[in-house]
Amino acid sequence: MKAIYIFTLLVISTSVGYSQGAQGYFDASANHYVNGRTPQAKQLVDEGLVKYPNDAKLKALAEKMKEEKQKEDQQKQEQKNKEQQKEQQQKEQEKKEQQQKEQQEKEQKEQEQQQKDQQSKEEKEKKDQQQKQQQEQEQKENEQKDKNQNTPQ
């Protein structure tokens, strides 16, 4: 199917070229170009310029197509740059969010550790207080015993 299309295109372009000269190439190329068939338009313009290198209309159309191609290429590059920039921003945002998450986890662990340390400290103080009270009680009992033993009965 492709071969038939290409053959038909070549036959038409050749017959157009022979029948109408540079104007024929220009008309056919312009028709393709306007209808969005840029590769075919470019091919006919190039063929026309080979046969009619000094034709102003063919040169102008070729230049117009060249400028349009450059403009399209530039737009594609700008779009690609925008997409890359967007991806970079997204990566930076994800990294920032990950760092915030890690910082929150770190702070939470520190807070939990502080609470454990405080609880341990309070328990130790309570235990120390109980031991002290027990020692004081024992000392009082011992003093009382000593006192009772030293008092005549």
Side-chain angles (χ1 to χ4, degrees), residues 99-125:
Q99 288 174 340
Q100 287 176 340
K101 183 179 176 184
E102 290 172 357
Q103 182 65 24
Q104 287 174 344
E105 289 174 356
K106 181 181 174 184
E107 289 172 357
Q108 184 178 358
K109 285 180 181 181
E110 288 175 353
Q111 187 178 19
E112 289 172 357
Q113 185 62 41
Q114 286 176 349
Q115 288 174 346
K116 285 180 182 179
D117 291 347
Q118 181 66 26
Q119 188 177 10
S120 293
K121 181 180 176 184
E122 289 173 357
E123 288 175 359
K124 185 177 184 312
E125 288 175 353

Side-chain angles (χ1 to χ4, degrees), residues 8 27 36 38-39 52 64-65 71 86 90 101 114 120 126 139 153:
T8 305
D27 291 342
T38 307
Y52 307 100
K64 175 69 174 163
M65 289 172 36
K71 187 177 178 182
K86 187 176 180 181
Q90 186 176 1
K101 183 179 176 184
Q114 286 176 349
S120 293
K126 185 176 179 182
Q139 188 177 5
Q153 291 183 348

Side-chain angles (χ1 to χ4, degrees), residues 67-153:
E67 289 172 2
E68 193 68 30
K69 173 106 171 78
Q70 288 174 345
K71 187 177 178 182
E72 288 175 11
D73 291 346
Q74 183 179 0
Q75 287 174 344
K76 285 179 184 178
Q77 185 62 39
E78 288 173 358
Q79 181 65 27
K80 184 179 177 182
N81 291 345
K82 284 180 183 179
E83 288 173 4
Q84 287 176 343
Q85 187 178 18
K86 187 176 180 181
E87 287 176 10
Q88 182 65 27
Q89 288 173 344
Q90 186 176 1
K91 286 179 183 180
E92 289 173 1
Q93 180 66 25
E94 289 173 358
K95 183 178 178 181
K96 184 179 179 181
E97 288 172 358
Q98 181 65 27
Q99 288 174 340
Q100 287 176 340
K101 183 179 176 184
E102 290 172 357
Q103 182 65 24
Q104 287 174 344
E105 289 174 356
K106 181 181 174 184
E107 289 172 357
Q108 184 178 358
K109 285 180 181 181
E110 288 175 353
Q111 187 178 19
E112 289 172 357
Q113 185 62 41
Q114 286 176 349
Q115 288 174 346
K116 285 180 182 179
D117 291 347
Q118 181 66 26
Q119 188 177 10
S120 293
K121 181 180 176 184
E122 289 173 357
E123 288 175 359
K124 185 177 184 312
E125 288 175 353
K126 185 176 179 182
K127 186 177 178 183
D128 289 347
Q129 182 69 22
Q130 286 175 344
Q131 284 179 343
K132 185 177 178 184
Q133 287 175 350
Q134 186 178 3
Q135 285 176 350
E136 287 175 356
Q137 182 66 29
E138 287 176 358
Q139 188 177 5
K140 281 183 180 181
E141 288 175 0
N142 285 339
E143 285 176 2
Q144 188 66 28
K145 273 185 182 179
D146 286 343
K147 195 175 184 182
N148 283 343
Q149 286 178 353
N150 287 338
T151 54
Q153 291 183 348

Side-chain angles (χ1 to χ4, degrees), residues 17-66:
Y18 286 125
S19 66
Q20 296 182 358
Q23 184 64 39
Y25 279 105
F26 175 80
D27 291 342
S29 298
N31 186 28
H32 283 301
Y33 181 70
V34 168
N35 289 310
R37 296 185 302 264
T38 307
Q40 293 90 343
K42 173 110 173 75
Q43 181 181 356
L44 284 175
V45 166
D46 290 344
E47 288 175 16
L49 285 173
V50 168
K51 293 181 181 181
Y52 307 100
N54 296 324
D55 186 75
K57 286 184 177 181
L58 286 173
K59 285 182 181 180
L61 183 56
E63 184 62 30
K64 175 69 174 163
M65 289 172 36
K66 181 180 176 184

